Amino acid sequence: MSLGRRDGGDRHSVTPVQAFLLWPNRPRSIEGILDTGIAQEHSLLKPALHERAYSVLPGSTPADRSGHGTQMAGLALFGDFTAALESKGPVVLSHGLESVKILDDSYAPAKSPRTCAETTTHAVATAEIGNDGVPSARVFSTAVTRQSGEGENGVDGTATLWSATLDALAAGTDVTARDHRIDVIGAPDPEASRLIIVSAGNVRGACSPSDAYRGRHAGSPAALRPVASAGGPRGARA
């Protein structure tokens, strides 16, 4: 089954499954999806979302027109949905969702590394400020990557402005992007550290295990150590 449509609409044929799903009123943790937005009225996602849907793109709503963000949200919430469909008893969900739209409806990441860094920083701050009932834990995840161009950092696993920004955010500090550098606001704080899961993107061409370990062929911002990166061969979902 699909949790999203490319036109941003919802599919409600799964309504009978809802009777077996139990959502917490106050989740112990939140999975923050930084992607193309989310279908807020989807019958399987809305109870876990609790109106935590935002956009940091000027003039854009949190609506998901491509379906990618909605699908990532469904994966984050349920994992393999087959298990829920085959369950003979209630499926109890302990975590909730939030969505911040960082990718526009053309489904193309910003061309400027600085814009990517600023957008992600704003997205993290928006999610943390927007939720009044702060949960005990939050995980950020994004499957948005950018291939570095010729002569840019990011080739062969080198750090980029975008990856350095996530480095600082994961370490528990905040940053501002200026020109081609970032300024760290305050010292890293272990108590404020963030868990960030980043897609490595779709690997293009041959990639040896040693290349994968060093972050080569990974899209920005995945080529850095403080975040957990995951990916697959070309054509596979990261």
Side-chain angles (χ1 to χ4, degrees), residues 188-204:
D189 180 5
E191 295 297 323
S193 61
R194 302 171 175 96
L195 176 57
I196 305 175
I197 311 296
V198 177
S199 165
N202 295 325
V203 177
R204 292 164 174 81

Side-chain angles (χ1 to χ4, degrees), residues 56-117:
V56 294
L57 304 179
S60 178
T61 71
D64 182 13
R65 302 302 179 188
S66 76
H68 189 270
T70 300
Q71 292 171 346
M72 294 299 101
L75 182 62
L77 185 62
F78 295 106
D80 183 359
F81 198 71
T82 303
L85 292 173
E86 295 177 346
S87 174
K88 299 185 183 299
V91 177
V92 181
L93 301 173
S94 61
H95 64 288
L97 290 174
E98 66 188 359
S99 168
V100 185
K101 188 174 185 176
I102 65 171
L103 197 62
D104 64 23
D105 297 338
S106 69
Y107 197 49
K111 294 182 179 180
S112 165
R114 174 179 173 178
T115 301
C116 292

Side-chain angles (χ1 to χ4, degrees), residues 109-134:
K111 294 182 179 180
S112 165
R114 174 179 173 178
T115 301
C116 292
E118 289 178 327
T119 299
T120 305
T121 301
H122 190 189
V124 169
T126 297
E128 293 178 340
I129 294 172
N131 185 18
D132 293 332
V134 180

